[in-house]
Amino acid sequence: MAFLSRSVLNAPTAAVAWLGRQGTRAIAALVFVGIVAPPIDAVLKPFVTEAIFVLLCIAFLRVDPMAVRSYLGRPGIVVAAVGWTMLVIPVLFGTTCVLLGLPDRSPDLMFALMLQAVASPMMAAPAFAALMGLDATLVLVTLVAGSALIPITAPFLAFVFVPALTPSPLVLGLRLFAILAGSALVAFIVRGVVGPDAIARHRDEIDGVNILVVFVFVAAVMEHVAARFIERPAAMLELAALAFFVYFAVLCLTALAFYAAGRESAFVLGLMASQRNMGLMLAVTGGALPDVVWLYFALCQFPIYLSPQLLKPVARRVVADH
């Protein structure tokens, strides 16, 4: 009887660990599950902010202080990567949108693109890089440094290109700081209590929880995608094409900008820069965004979550040539 009880109790943990071991396949499946399950999406949508907070906690929980210190000896590439990701990319986005007349032609789409541009890279970016067999340390260090700056850079740059920004830059910055500092503090406490060995030992379970929580965010933004494709297929295809174009344009531009640092570093930084944390921007704005913003953010999940699986052959070649 005791053995049976342990088996029943261990079953959910084993299932979560199994999910974590599916890696890129599970990540790619999330977007399709979100599309075909709008009732679930509607239930999960109110919990976007909480889901983003948990994802940030998991990401900070996995920050290895020793790995971070290893890059402090050569800070040049980290400083360059942070500057490129947090300053150059948003300015390129904003300038291009203004030159194309987007503020007048489609202010809501301009708002969506700028929220995407000013966001820091996704906290899952190091995990995605690791799943593809790439060195995630550089991504992790750049991500931590960029996250420290985003309460300053995001409100300022968003206000420069979207003056009618709501909430105000100050409120946006304070919310960003609260979410990031709070999640980092929780992760620091948990890491201190359970220890790094336990975190490493339960890697699969943590990956599984990460995938489940990611689904909350993906499901929330996917709620109306299927219905909109039926109602306005041409407009949705154009929006999807834009999402894929922006993703791969940022990836390629970043890889070219850092080519001199080595092919693996250039490629992994390109992946990181193209995976913007739009969920964080949804969280700090309280989800009070125009319909076009929600739809664009939803369609941006396709290149983000499909790329680890689609680009695995490229990653293998890059690592082999390293």
Side-chain angles (χ1 to χ4, degrees):
M1 183 64 72
F3 173 76
L4 182 60
S5 299
R6 282 198 302 272
S7 299
V8 171
L9 291 173
N10 289 336
T13 303
V16 171
W18 174 85
L19 180 63
R21 288 193 293 272
Q22 303 314 301
T24 58
R25 292 187 296 275
I27 290 167
L30 291 179
V31 289
F32 298 105
V33 176
I35 287 177
V36 300
I40 297 176
D41 301 346
V43 172
L44 295 177
K45 193 171 185 176
F47 302 101
V48 168
T49 300
E50 291 81 357
I52 297 303
F53 185 84
V54 173
L55 288 173
L56 290 169
C57 289
I58 294 173
F60 281 121
L61 182 66
R62 299 179 118 162
V63 172
D64 183 355
M66 295 302 294
V68 172
R69 286 194 202 102
S70 71
Y71 263 92
L72 295 180
R74 52 181 185 125
I77 188 172
V78 175
V79 172
V82 171
W84 173 268
T85 305
M86 304 305 299
L87 296 173
V88 177
I89 286 178
V91 171
L92 286 175
F93 263 67
T95 304
T96 303
C97 289
V98 170
L99 290 175
L100 292 174
L102 211 56
D104 297 322
R105 291 166 51 194
S106 182
D108 287 349
L109 184 56
M110 171 74 177
F111 187 35
L113 287 166
M114 286 314 303
L115 284 181
Q116 178 185 18
V118 301
S120 58
M122 287 175 58
M123 299 303 288
F128 284 7
L131 287 170
M132 297 171 72
L134 298 164
D135 180 11
T137 307
L138 177 58
V139 175
L140 182 61
V141 176
T142 305
L143 183 61
V144 171
S147 297
L149 290 176
I150 192 176
I152 300 170
T153 60
F156 172 73
L157 290 166
F159 180 73
V160 167
F161 291 102
V162 189
L165 178 68
T166 303
S168 70
L170 177 60
V171 171
L172 184 64
L174 290 174
R175 288 181 183 175
L176 282 166
F177 177 79
I179 291 175
L180 289 165
S183 57
L185 178 61
V186 170
F188 178 79
I189 293 171
V190 172
R191 189 177 181 87
V193 171
V194 304
D197 292 339
I199 294 170
R201 191 165 58 250
H202 294 286
R203 183 186 65 182
D204 291 339
E205 289 85 349
I206 294 172
D207 284 341
V209 171
N210 199 63
I211 289 169
L212 289 173
V213 180
V214 166
F215 178 67
V216 176
F217 165 66
V218 172
V221 296
M222 290 291 173
E223 181 185 5
H224 300 298
V225 168
R228 293 294 188 273
F229 261 111
I230 294 171
E231 294 169 5
R232 298 178 290 165
M236 289 296 287
L237 286 172
E238 289 176 359
L239 210 55
L242 176 63
F244 273 91
F245 172 78
V246 169
Y247 180 91
F248 285 103
V250 172
L251 193 160
C252 293
L253 280 174
T254 304
L256 286 172
F258 289 91
Y259 189 78
R263 293 180 64 178
E264 183 174 359
S265 294
F267 182 65
V268 79
L269 287 174
L271 283 171
M272 178 202 69
S274 60
Q275 296 168 348
R276 315 300 285 191
N277 197 345
M278 287 164 276
L280 179 60
M281 306 315 291
L282 284 176
V284 297
T285 55
L289 297 170
D291 190 48
V292 169
V293 178
W294 277 99
L295 289 173
Y296 177 70
F297 280 10
L299 294 171
C300 283
Q301 306 316 303
F302 283 92
I304 288 174
Y305 290 104
L306 293 178
S307 62
Q309 185 70 16
L310 294 174
L311 295 175
K312 248 188 171 180
V314 179
R316 288 196 196 101
R317 197 173 306 122
V318 167
V319 173
D321 293 343
H322 183 60

